Amino acid sequence: MYDLSLIETIVAVSTPPGSGGIGVVRLSGPAALKIARALFRPKETKRKFEPGRAVLGSIADPGDGRPFDEGFLLFFKAPRSYTREDVVEFHLHGSPVILEEIVRLAVRQGARPALPGEFTLRAFLTGRLDFLQAEAVDDLIRSTSLAQAKSAFRGVEGALSKKIATLRDGVIALIARIEADIEFPEEGRPASKKDYADKIDRIRSTVDILVRSYEKGKALGEGVTIALVGLANSGKSTLFNDLLEEPRAIVTPFPGTTRDYLREIIRIKDASFLLVDMAGLGRPSSPVEREGVRRGKKIAAESDGLLLLLDGSRRFSAADGALIESYRSRRIILVLNKTDLPEKTSMADVNCRFPDLPLVGISALKGNGLAELRKMIYDLFFHLIPADEIIVFRKRDKLLLEEISVRLLRAKGMILRGRPIELAAEEAREVVALTGYLTGEIRADDILDDIFSRFCIGK
Amino acid sequence: MASESYDVAIVGAGHAGCEAAVAAANMDCSACLITMHFETIAQMSCNPAVGGLAKGHLVREIDALGGIMGLLADETGIHFRLLNRSRGAAVQAPRAQCDKSRYRLEMKERLEKTPGLTIYQGIVTGLIVEKNRIRGVACGDGRVISAKAVILTPGTFLNGLIHIGLSSYPAGRANEPPSVELSEAIQKLGLKTFRLKTGTPMRLDGKTIDWTVFEAQSGDEEPVPFSLRTEKKLENKVFCHLGYTNEKTHRVIRRDLHKSPLYSGRIRGLGPRYCPSIEDKVVKFSHHPRHQFFLEPEGLNTSEIYVNGLSSSLPYDTQRDILRTIPGLKDSKILRPAYAIEYDAVLPTQLLPTLETRPVDGLYLAGQINGTSGYEEAAAQGLMAGINAVLKIRRKNPFILRRDQAYIGVLIDDLISKGVEEPYRLFTSRAEHRLGLRIDNADSRLSAYGREFGLLSERDFVHFQKKEKRLSSVLAYLEKTKVVPERKDRISLKEYLRRPDIGFENVLEYGPMPEALSPEEIRHVVAEVKYEGYLKKQETEVARIMKMDGMRIPAGFNASLIPGLGREAVENVAKHKPKSIGEMKKLPGLTPSDVMNVFIHISTRNVPRGTSRGKMLLKDE
Ligand SMILES: Cc1cc2nc3c(=O)[nH]c(=O)nc-3n(C[C@H](O)[C@H](O)[C@H](O)COP(=O)(O)OP(=O)(O)OC[C@H]3O[C@@H](n4cnc5c(N)ncnc54)[C@H](O)[C@@H]3O)c2cc1C
Ligand SMILES: Nc1nc2c(ncn2[C@@H]2O[C@H](COP(=O)(O)OP(=O)(O)OP(=O)(O)O)[C@@H](O)[C@H]2O)c(=O)[nH]1
Ligand SMILES: [Mg+2]
């Protein structure tokens, strides 16, 4: 019933951090082999990846093709692997930096970093670990989701978790009301059916908005839009692919590569943004480019925020200056790119000219400075996401929310049809448990606490 | 000395002590119940009532196990109500007002008539312990009583301190001496104590109340007994009356708040939130224009009236002024003032699930001493302590009820695993499996145990078995009999009964049942049908949890190797070395996800290593 996320391919360093000798990076999931192929060059070029055979070769960045380590690749074909999925392992020399780099590259190729314990979890889910009876699995998933949710929400004071917390408080208040009616029948009047129904409707409307946001997110509907602007060849498409963690846009060394615009959802922590790549906004040299610039300008004007790219390997030009001037009153981050190349424009240069604008230096090619950029994007644009536009982007969360909605509807139906109130309470209690799986937080005594603080009860 | 030696000694003939003593004696042990004063045996310290939500459930469970509280409440009840009649079976519970003095006398008589039970009037001042094993108790009069097991049930008496306004005096209950030496003796054993507080309202002279202004409440027309063994017809003999405070009352309370020991900071113990004093209600819910109270007779042969809802620790003068603001009570006379009491309780996390203390072998604690409040909570613990003390003496397996089996299980598990901060009262919402823990199935859940321990007579048990037969034959009949209601679908009577607006009377329109059922039995059948889906779900849930709990943790298990486990969790696992997941769950400082983490970790190690790669593959976890 819940999203097992087995469609995703996961990757992680499988040897304890800092240990010398050999290091292992493991991929599991349907795309494991495809991703491995992109990163690994067998020594004997014709060599096939046969299950169970160690293949000698080198690891290279598919971006520039330069190998940076040698080692073995081991392929375990589903279902004869630890997780019963396709599993690929790289056995390498084990410097943590190199291992992390491989994980990063794999992520760029579409893998997702594995959560703690997730390989084992998959082994459960695929039935590889069969000591559990089938029905225990559901329980396990929920509980493990709990651990996952916790790590996903850890340290993030995000809007979704706040929203869920509010939702949970609402349900607890509802239960407290029901329980107060049940436990203290001698005290005053119980709430009416309509009271209960209204309360439930209010909670459900929030839940349903969240559920719909998932579809919305997938359909590239509304959202907070961030446009990538800059002169041609400044590295917009490279950065676009970086932030997307997927090689979506075409990148070439030639200016004017991108013509039409591209829109994709990127995720930073618990927030989603719509990122738009477009043609360089310099002087067009052909009718196609002219149209590209026209569209680009329109998009930039309509977007909620801008990332303005500058090419650090070239001298700051009048065109760069003009571009910044025309957008400086907007919500904007200046991004000095290509800092890996010999410096023609420095951070200080830019900062002197535009001391009031946020600035970050990166290398889109090497991936340097991206964490800082992400943080700046989050900090600057996050609050633009209207409360009702919070986007649920994990399928698991959406399924849990749907389940919550169904149960609330059921509870309401029970109350309206005059079924015993304690059954509605069962549904509502289940809802609280489900919110726990979303946020990773379960506290038991909440309900009684709530009763005593809300109702004057007892003798 | 031989005659001075017993199997079990019980200290304090309150609700816990009486239940424990009778259980031990009925299990064919020699038992000695020592209590301060014979005239206060089974005294109801506070309200003259037994039962209510969750509490009534407890009494039913006590009864199903062969305990006595239900029989006595039925015997001495003068006003009976089944609460929540309009709701489902799981949240219905009986409540009765009892004649307080008759309750005491009936209990005393029952104790005296119980073979194997000796009662002794004395004050226990010392505990005799050798090598962490209890040997007996010493009384203030110099007598020493040896016993293989000792159950302490001293209620609110340990270092009791009564407050009325800003004056206070040591007492176990109004005008009864506190137990100071016993509290010291307990602490000397290494048991940690803490302070709790509770309160009771004033008693008024019924002759001085103008009854005409209050709304009378009568009992149920068809009273439902607590005990399935009660045969006599129950009768309501009194009315209760309902009244309200008003703004004037609240002004008086606010005026004198500084004279309250609670609000002036003199009371340190924590009081129960569900039993707030009237000053608490006025302060915390200042927007409420009025608070309700009930006038309840304390018995048939007395004019004392208990003012349910006006518990207070304000001084006498303020209490009198409060009453003057309430129409109908203007001229009423206070016979006994309201008061608050602070007392020592023992941290219940130091107990085993049998209620035996961890540090001292053979020493059991039950009742208010464990941080609970309420007669029923006390009686339930007394019964369990009594049974377990005897089982231990006989070297038999302990008797532990699970949370899904009984409210008694919920109560004891909450106490020993979570501890308490305020006096603990049971609520139905504390039970995860509320729909299965009903008054109508208490006997199905528990009577087999009662019989096993010899607490239920052969006769009562046969009675129970016959009832079970009747119920299952009716349930089978409902399942197999098909009908076509409203000329629509052909469905079983059971499916028909499951419909929201259909009751048992509608089912009877299709013909008589194979067995005639009592209203009580009908309640059971209806509940089983209406709750069926939920009950099944809970059953699988319980089976799942039990299976998981049963998973063994291998010796030498090192929690520090599991990434993501908090430091506190690692330390607690290292310290307590749980043998199973179930045991580990009960440790303090472990969150559900910690437990899950360990579970996954251990499970993977239990997997047969089919491949030689097993070891390496597990490294990343
Ligand atoms: C002022 C007050 C207000 C209360 N209010 C409420 C309330 O609002 N709601 C509620 O549910 N409950 C209330 N209670 C609690 C209720 O009375 C108790 O929960 C219940 O009686 C506890 O039962 P017990 O068997 O543990 O102890 P008790 O009923 O207190 O019995 C203890 C017995 O032990 C005896 N004893 C004590 N020390 C010794 C000794 N050293 N040697 C020999 N005998 C000894 C005493 O004489 C007494 O007979 C109140 C109690 C008091 C005193
Ligand atoms: N060394 C270096 N090269 C980069 C960096 N970022 C982008 N490049 C290279 O610069 C070239 C242009 O990059 P693109 O991402 O296509 O630039 P763009 O801004 O999208 O260009 P147009 O679509 O033509 O407007 C490619 O050869 C990239 O590999 C960087 O940080 N360092
Ligand atoms: Mg481009």
Side-chain angles (χ1 to χ4, degrees), chain B residues 233-255:
Chain B
K233 181 129 178 54
L234 303 181
E235 257 179 79
N236 293 303
K237 294 173 183 155
V238 294
F239 288 98
C240 285
H241 288 81
L242 174 62
Y244 295 95
T245 61
N246 54 51
E247 291 292 3
K248 262 193 228 154
T249 323
H250 301 176
R251 267 202 297 280
V252 170
I253 291 171
R254 283 196 203 100
R255 180 196 72 197

Coordinates of all heavy atoms in Angstrom, one line a residue, chain B residues 233-255:
Chain B
K233 N -31.6 -8.7 43.0 CA -32.0 -7.6 42.1 C -31.5 -6.3 42.7 O -31.7 -6.0 43.8 CB -33.5 -7.6 41.9 CG -34.1 -6.6 41.0 CD -35.0 -7.2 40.0 CE -35.7 -6.1 39.1 NZ -34.7 -5.2 38.4
L234 N -30.9 -5.5 41.8 CA -30.3 -4.2 42.3 C -31.4 -3.2 42.3 O -32.3 -3.1 41.4 CB -29.2 -3.8 41.4 CG -28.0 -4.8 41.3 CD1 -26.9 -4.2 40.4 CD2 -27.4 -5.1 42.6
E235 N -31.3 -2.3 43.3 CA -32.4 -1.3 43.4 C -31.7 0.1 43.7 O -30.8 0.2 44.4 CB -33.2 -1.6 44.7 CG -34.6 -2.2 44.4 CD -35.2 -2.4 45.8 OE1 -35.7 -1.5 46.4 OE2 -35.2 -3.6 46.3
N236 N -32.3 1.1 43.1 CA -31.9 2.5 43.4 C -32.6 2.9 44.6 O -33.8 2.9 44.6 CB -32.1 3.4 42.2 CG -31.3 3.0 41.0 OD1 -30.1 3.0 41.1 ND2 -32.0 2.7 39.9
K237 N -31.9 3.5 45.6 CA -32.5 3.9 46.8 C -32.4 5.4 47.0 O -33.0 5.9 48.0 CB -31.9 3.1 48.0 CG -32.3 1.6 47.8 CD -31.6 0.8 48.9 CE -31.9 -0.7 48.7 NZ -30.8 -1.6 49.2
V238 N -31.6 6.0 46.3 CA -31.5 7.5 46.5 C -31.4 8.2 45.1 O -31.3 7.6 44.1 CB -30.2 7.8 47.3 CG1 -30.2 7.3 48.7 CG2 -29.0 7.3 46.5
F239 N -31.5 9.5 45.2 CA -31.3 10.4 44.0 C -29.9 11.1 44.2 O -29.5 11.3 45.3 CB -32.4 11.4 43.9 CG -33.7 10.9 43.5 CD1 -34.7 10.6 44.4 CD2 -33.9 10.6 42.2 CE1 -35.9 10.1 44.0 CE2 -35.2 10.1 41.8 CZ -36.1 9.8 42.7
C240 N -29.4 11.5 43.1 CA -28.3 12.4 43.1 C -28.8 13.7 42.7 O -29.9 13.8 42.0 CB -27.2 12.0 42.1 SG -26.2 10.6 42.8
H241 N -28.1 14.8 43.0 CA -28.6 16.1 42.5 C -27.5 16.9 41.9 O -26.4 16.8 42.2 CB -29.2 16.9 43.7 CG -30.5 16.3 44.2 ND1 -30.6 15.2 45.0 CD2 -31.8 16.7 44.0 CE1 -31.8 15.0 45.3 NE2 -32.6 15.8 44.6
L242 N -27.9 17.7 40.9 CA -27.0 18.4 40.1 C -27.1 19.9 40.3 O -28.2 20.4 40.4 CB -27.3 18.1 38.6 CG -26.5 18.8 37.5 CD1 -25.0 18.5 37.6 CD2 -27.0 18.4 36.1
G243 N -26.0 20.5 40.6 CA -26.0 22.0 40.8 C -24.8 22.6 40.1 O -24.0 22.0 39.5
Y244 N -24.8 24.0 40.1 CA -23.7 24.7 39.5 C -23.2 25.8 40.4 O -23.9 26.4 41.1 CB -24.3 25.4 38.2 CG -24.7 24.4 37.1 CD1 -26.0 24.0 37.0 CD2 -23.7 23.8 36.3 CE1 -26.4 23.0 36.1 CE2 -24.1 22.9 35.4 CZ -25.4 22.5 35.3 OH -25.8 21.5 34.3
T245 N -21.9 26.1 40.2 CA -21.3 27.3 40.8 C -21.7 28.5 39.9 O -22.3 28.3 38.9 CB -19.8 27.2 40.9 OG1 -19.3 27.1 39.5 CG2 -19.3 26.0 41.7
N246 N -21.4 29.7 40.4 CA -21.7 30.9 39.6 C -20.6 31.9 39.7 O -19.6 31.7 40.4 CB -23.1 31.5 40.0 CG -23.1 31.7 41.5 OD1 -22.2 32.4 42.0 ND2 -24.1 31.2 42.2
E247 N -20.8 33.1 39.0 CA -19.7 34.1 39.1 C -19.4 34.6 40.5 O -18.2 34.8 40.8 CB -20.2 35.3 38.2 CG -20.2 35.1 36.7 CD -18.8 34.8 36.1 OE1 -17.8 34.8 36.8 OE2 -18.8 34.6 34.9
K248 N -20.4 34.6 41.3 CA -20.2 35.0 42.7 C -19.2 34.1 43.4 O -18.3 34.5 44.1 CB -21.5 35.1 43.5 CG -22.1 36.4 43.6 CD -23.3 36.4 44.6 CE -24.5 37.1 44.0 NZ -25.8 36.6 44.6
T249 N -19.5 32.8 43.2 CA -18.6 31.7 43.8 C -17.2 32.0 43.3 O -16.3 31.9 44.1 CB -19.1 30.3 43.2 OG1 -20.5 30.3 43.1 CG2 -18.5 29.2 44.1
H250 N -17.0 32.2 42.0 CA -15.7 32.4 41.5 C -15.0 33.6 42.0 O -13.8 33.6 42.2 CB -15.8 32.4 40.0 CG -16.4 31.2 39.4 ND1 -16.7 31.0 38.1 CD2 -16.9 30.0 40.0 CE1 -17.2 29.8 37.9 NE2 -17.4 29.2 39.0
R251 N -15.8 34.6 42.3 CA -15.2 35.8 42.9 C -14.6 35.5 44.3 O -13.5 36.0 44.6 CB -16.2 37.0 43.0 CG -16.2 37.9 41.7 CD -16.8 39.2 42.0 NE -18.2 39.2 42.3 CZ -19.2 39.0 41.4 NH1 -18.9 39.0 40.1 NH2 -20.4 39.0 41.8
V252 N -15.4 34.8 45.1 CA -14.9 34.4 46.4 C -13.6 33.6 46.3 O -12.7 33.8 47.0 CB -16.0 33.5 47.1 CG1 -15.4 32.9 48.4 CG2 -17.2 34.4 47.4
I253 N -13.6 32.7 45.3 CA -12.4 31.8 45.2 C -11.2 32.7 44.8 O -10.1 32.6 45.4 CB -12.7 30.7 44.2 CG1 -13.7 29.7 44.7 CG2 -11.4 30.0 43.8 CD1 -14.2 28.7 43.7
R254 N -11.4 33.6 43.9 CA -10.3 34.4 43.4 C -9.8 35.3 44.6 O -8.6 35.5 44.8 CB -10.7 35.3 42.2 CG -10.7 34.5 40.9 CD -10.7 35.4 39.7 NE -11.3 34.5 38.6 CZ -12.5 34.6 38.2 NH1 -13.4 35.5 38.7 NH2 -12.9 33.8 37.3
R255 N -10.8 35.8 45.3 CA -10.5 36.7 46.5 C -9.5 36.0 47.4 O -8.6 36.6 47.9 CB -11.8 37.1 47.2 CG -11.6 38.0 48.4 CD -12.9 38.0 49.2 NE -13.0 36.7 50.0 CZ -14.1 36.3 50.6 NH1 -15.2 37.0 50.5 NH2 -14.2 35.2 51.2

